[in-house]
């Protein structure tokens, strides 16, 4: 019994080969070794317009439209001379004179000695295919130039968040920010801003829309971007996806720089903030003054109360006792009136707060003062900081009190070292802000007492000693803390910790 493999070609009648070639839907020509045509099939006649009688005996060069560069023919013939097949595209002319684009495969046919005796030519008309390919290429080039000219940075990210396609504006951003991949930093900022996962990865859907995020860089002004993320379907193009679609969902990140617009808004916001802080400062001074007056008055009143109680215990009903009782009553009323006159803390609603923004605001507000006293500032924000839930105005007052203290500590007569360093960073469960100054530092003996109300190390008057107390109160109201450490090489190091979630 014969196996399938052993079925010999010789068993197929020669007529079958002729029928196959005759009926093939591909132009077939057989030539001698000099490309003179010996045979053409009906598809050849259909494509070229040459009947067998017109083609046989002619050279294949009759099909040349003479616009194909000579180098192409040279490459074709050098392949054939090396007894290899050649495949490529040529501009051909039909019998009627019109041109078409032919895609050819020419193979040498050798005899037993390996000598080329014939060439087999197969070709098809690919004019329409070429037109469609050109259209796709043109559209791609057009889309690329539009995408490149767009004043928006665009980056397409795969599932591992690797940028697979980007545009000119994105490349410019990479150079400007001196970052390997701005998309990663921007996406981190967006995540920190929205505070939850992005929208579901549905092609055409938004991962996020018009989120305004900032990217902070050491020693430079922050840059602002309005960002949107759109999920995009991408066919993976592998053979497996030919019958069964195998798509991946990519993220198209669009980031439009709005730093200038923000700067203008920032200017007006700063003016309003300055006015608000000045007003709050005035109210705070009033609060502190009244609280100090009540505190100081309470001392003698308490002494008077003790004396009165002693007199009453001894049954001393002298008129002096009644007078003292009246005096105690009047003094207590005065203390109560003073306490009642202390203005309330302004009402503020909690919201998400970016501490980099808070520090940046305070630095903006104190620039003039720092320049005036010659303090140089080193501000090193973590580029993207998670937001906390808090009271922005109170936090601003807290940071301002600490920075004001630092400036003051370096503003002594003849004091040369005037360097302020501020660092923000995320640490376990919270944010840390470290403010270091090169002033005289806080002596170890009073390092804890400086947080006590009305304690001050300043002797020049005008200081009530409540700045650090209020600052600590703000930190504690946010579930955080403030510590003061000595600083290597002198000066003071204030470490503020604020938790991301309050327990
Ligand atoms: P030619 O004078 O033919 O020559 C152009 C260049 O090719 C020259 O550099 C020359 O040195 C070199 N050359 C030509 N003939 C040979 C040879 N026998 N050996 C080595 N080098 C040689 N051309 C088309 O334009 N359209 C076709 O559809 C087409 N089909 C072909 C099918 C087959 C089976 C073969 C073998 C060739 C086919 N050719 C086709 C190539 C064709 O034979 C011509 O070489 C080509 O058309 C250029 O013609 P020409 O008159 O402009 O220049």
């Amino acid at each position: 019994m014969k196996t399938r493999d052993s079925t010999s070609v010789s068993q197929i009648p020669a007529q079958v080969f002729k029928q196959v070639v005759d009926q093939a839907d591909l132009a077939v020509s057989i030539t001698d070794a000099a490309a003179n045509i010996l045979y053409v099939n009906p598809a050849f006649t259909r494509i070229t317009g040459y009947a067998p009688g017109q083609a046989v005996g002619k050279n294949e060069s009759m099909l040349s439209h003479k616009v194909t560069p000579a180098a192409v023919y040279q490459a074709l013939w050098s392949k054939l001379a090396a007894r290899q097949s050649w495949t490529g595209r040529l501009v051909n002319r039909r019998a009627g004179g019109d041109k078409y684009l032919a895609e050819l495969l020419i193979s040498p046919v050798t005899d037993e000695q390996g000598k080329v005796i014939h060439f087999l030519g197969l070709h098809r008309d690919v004019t329409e295919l070429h037109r469609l390919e050109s259209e796709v290429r043109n559209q791609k080039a057009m889309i690329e130039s539009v995408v490149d000219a767009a004043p928006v940075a665009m980056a397409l990210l795969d599932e591992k968040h690797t940028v697979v396609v980007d545009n000119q504006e994105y490349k410019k951003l990479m150079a400007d920010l001196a970052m390997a991949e701005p998309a990663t930093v921007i996406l981190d900022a967006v995540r920190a801003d929205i505070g939850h996962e992005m929208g579901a990865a549905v092609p055409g859907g938004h991962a996020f829309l018009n989120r305004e995020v900032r990217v902070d860089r050491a020693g430079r002004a922050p840059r602002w971007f309005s960002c949107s993320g759109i999920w995009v379907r991408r066919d993976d193009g592998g053979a497996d996806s030919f019958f069964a679609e195998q798509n991946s969902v990519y993220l198209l990140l669009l980031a439009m720089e709005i730093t200038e617009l923000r700067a203008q808004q920032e200017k007006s916001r700063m003016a309003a903030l300055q006015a608000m802080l000045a007003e709050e400062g005035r109210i705070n001074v009033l609060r502190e003054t009244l609280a100090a007056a009540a505190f100081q008055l309470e001392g003698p009143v308490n002494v008077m109360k003790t004396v009165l109680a002693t007199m009453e215990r001894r049954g001393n009903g002298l008129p002096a006792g009644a007078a003292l009782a009246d005096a105690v009553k009047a003094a207590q009323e005065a203390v109560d009136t003073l306490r009642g006159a202390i203005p309330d803390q302004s009402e503020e609603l909690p919201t998400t707060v970016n501490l980099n923004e808070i520090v940046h605001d305070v630095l903006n507000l104190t620039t003039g003062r720092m320049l005036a006293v010659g303090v140089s500032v080193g501000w090193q924000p973590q580029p993207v900081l998670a937001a906390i839930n808090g009271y922005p105005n109170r936090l601003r007052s807290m940071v301002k009190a600490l920075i004001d203290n630092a400036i003051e500590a370096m503003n002594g007569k003849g004091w040369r070292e005037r360097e302020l360093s501020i660092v923000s960073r995320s640490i376990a469960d919270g944010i840390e802000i470290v403010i270091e100054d090169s002033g005289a530092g806080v002596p170890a003996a009073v390092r804890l007492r400086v947080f006590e109300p009305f304690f001050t190390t300043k002797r020049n008057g005008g200081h009530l000693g409540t700045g650090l107390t209020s600052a600590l109160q703000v930190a504690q109201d946010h579930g955080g803390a403030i510590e003061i450490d000595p600083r290597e090489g002198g000066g003071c190091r204030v470490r503020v910790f604020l938790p991301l979630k309050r327990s």
Side-chain angles (χ1 to χ4, degrees), residues 309-317:
T310 312
M311 287 170 80
E312 279 169 359
R313 227 179 14 258
R314 290 184 186 155
N316 193 340

Side-chain angles (χ1 to χ4, degrees), residues 31 33-35 59-61 63-64 66 73-74 77 80 90 92 104 106 119-121:
T31 72
N59 193 279
E60 292 274 9
S61 67
L63 295 173
S64 169
K66 309 297 179 200
Y73 294 127
Q74 276 156 19
W77 280 107
L80 297 185
L90 299 174
N92 272 1
L104 284 100
I106 305 175
F119 288 111
L120 168 68

Side-chain angles (χ1 to χ4, degrees), residues 155-175:
L156 187 67
L157 294 95
D158 67 11
E159 290 125 324
K160 289 179 193 140
H161 282 183
T162 307
V163 174
V164 288
V165 181
D166 59 11
N167 71 344
Q168 281 304 324
E169 197 68 14
Y170 183 83
K171 290 189 178 79
K172 214 170 107 206
L173 199 62
M174 250 157 110

Side-chain angles (χ1 to χ4, degrees), residues 445-487:
V446 295
R447 213 161 281 151
L448 285 176
R449 290 200 61 206
V450 289
F451 291 109
E452 288 174 11
F454 309 115
F455 178 87
T456 177
T457 55
K458 295 154 193 154
R459 315 226 168 274
N460 54 350
H463 288 282
L464 293 162
T466 54
L468 274 179
T469 318
S470 311
L472 179 64
Q473 190 61 54
V474 175
Q476 285 172 343
D477 289 349
H478 285 79
I482 300 181
E483 284 167 12
I484 294 188
D485 299 331
R487 182 174 165 267

Side-chain angles (χ1 to χ4, degrees), residues 48 57 79 112 122 131 171 182 207 240 255 303 346 355 364 373 390 414 480:
T48 65
K79 270 261 177 177
E112 274 109 36
L122 305 173
R131 193 187 64 75
K171 290 189 178 79
D240 290 344
V303 173
S346 58
L355 287 168
N364 264 348
V373 299

